[in-house]
Amino acid sequence: MLLFVCGMKIPAMIRRRHDPLLRAACLLLLSAGCLMIFAAPDSITTLNQFTGIPNLAAPVVYATTTAFSGATLLLIVNWRPAPPRQTQRWSRMCVTAYGCTILALAALFWAGNTPVTQPALFDAYYATTPYIREMIVTYLLAQGLAMAAASALCWRWSKEVHGSLRAGLRVLAPAYLIIVCYDALRLTAVAARWTGHNLDFLVDRVTPTLAAPACILGALGFVIPLTGPRIAETARAVHQLWQLAPLWHALQEISTPGAIRAPLPWWRTHPAVLLTARKTALYDSLLALTPYCDPAAREAAYHQARQQGDDEDHAAVTADAAMILIAREQQRTTPGPPPDATHSWIRRPPDLIPLSRSFASPVVRELVHGSSLQKAAHHD
């Protein structure tokens, strides 16, 4: 999947050859995908048998791991806002350091001797072998330093941002720390061999259990900033649709001549699109009710709401809702617009959310059924 996504990014890389962030992201996808393939036990065995070189899979996996570590650090450096010259300088240092490390791993492997194939316990088995021990320590230190630096950068950056980006960085930081623990445990097992002790269980039983949480948290850390804004937008749209429900149920049957309402099934329409369509339909309904809206009825409702203890803003919204309900009933009972409808209620688009909350309040219906409002609604 990682390699597939990387392949999908190739056209973008061709169009944006000089985009360092895109190059770093593609390098991370490529190295991570290759690492998933090469580090699998079956792949290690197959590579050793296919080449006929005992343990050739070890430097291949170590080099891929080092490339992944460098690509991770490179991506964070280019992702985090910083002066362009500083970003370029750190990027060059990262590429140079980890490129040289990969070359050193290859040279150390060819200089050493690994006659016995060890697909699972290579680190511990060859911990005391000249050149090979240096190769093992080199790749573990390279990965540990990169992950520690990436974790520190993510945590420091998370204090400067908010929202889904902050959440993603707060997830990435512990994910990289888990990999640091992975390297530390393997280094502990290697150092134990140097002193004549045996802590091989750290390599074959403990560290493999850290791979899954590190991968899951790392994937979530990169996914959350990408999908977080869209999820938040959808959640806001759904919440507003729920808030507009009382007003929608009250006005959806209003006759709106000239307004076209296209059917939008909720199960296949994005909530943001459905919210826009619903707001448009509500404004059309309010506009159709404008000739029937009586300011005298609104004024009477406003005074009654104030007498009941509402503040000015809440009383104004309550009065609007009461006037709209009276106008709706008049439209239903009047075959056409009233001939003397010279007043216009909508001077500016009303805020639909507070208006909808008022429709859900029993106070509004009590005001509508009050005798003073009924008289105001039918005055000449």
Side-chain angles (χ1 to χ4, degrees), residues 67-90:
F68 169 76
S69 303
T72 300
L73 189 56
L74 185 65
L75 178 62
I76 299 299
V77 167
N78 284 274
W79 190 12
R80 186 173 183 267
R85 290 186 178 180
Q86 180 181 351
T87 301
Q88 293 174 2
R89 183 171 66 254
W90 281 101

Side-chain angles (χ1 to χ4, degrees), residues 192-282:
R193 283 292 188 117
W194 296 346
T195 58
H197 297 83
N198 189 330
L199 296 179
D200 294 354
F201 73 94
L202 295 177
V203 175
D204 63 345
R205 291 200 297 273
V206 177
T207 55
T209 62
L210 299 177
C215 290
I216 293 173
L217 290 177
L220 286 176
F222 285 109
V223 167
I224 289 174
L226 296 175
T227 60
R230 184 179 295 272
I231 294 175
E233 178 188 358
T234 301
R236 284 193 298 267
V238 171
H239 182 61
Q240 290 187 28
L241 285 169
W242 176 77
Q243 290 179 309
L244 291 174
L247 184 61
W248 174 251
H249 291 315
L251 301 184
Q252 63 178 337
E253 301 299 332
I254 296 297
S255 175
T256 54
I260 301 176
R261 293 186 182 181
L264 295 175
W266 63 267
W267 61 87
R268 63 180 183 184
T269 305
H270 192 276
V273 178
L274 190 61
L275 177 63
T276 301
R278 185 152 297 182
K279 285 184 175 180
T280 303
L282 288 173

Side-chain angles (χ1 to χ4, degrees), residues 275-299:
L275 177 63
T276 301
R278 185 152 297 182
K279 285 184 175 180
T280 303
L282 288 173
Y283 281 125
D284 289 339
S285 299
L286 292 175
L287 186 62
L289 288 177
T290 299
Y292 302 91
C293 291
D294 191 345
R298 182 187 183 280
E299 190 70 17

Side-chain angles (χ1 to χ4, degrees), residues 301-325:
Y302 176 80
H303 287 301
Q304 288 194 24
R306 290 287 288 165
Q307 290 175 2
Q308 293 181 6
D310 290 349
D311 57 31
E312 293 184 3
D313 294 336
H314 191 269
V317 176
T318 301
D320 289 341
M323 181 180 61
I324 291 171
L325 285 177

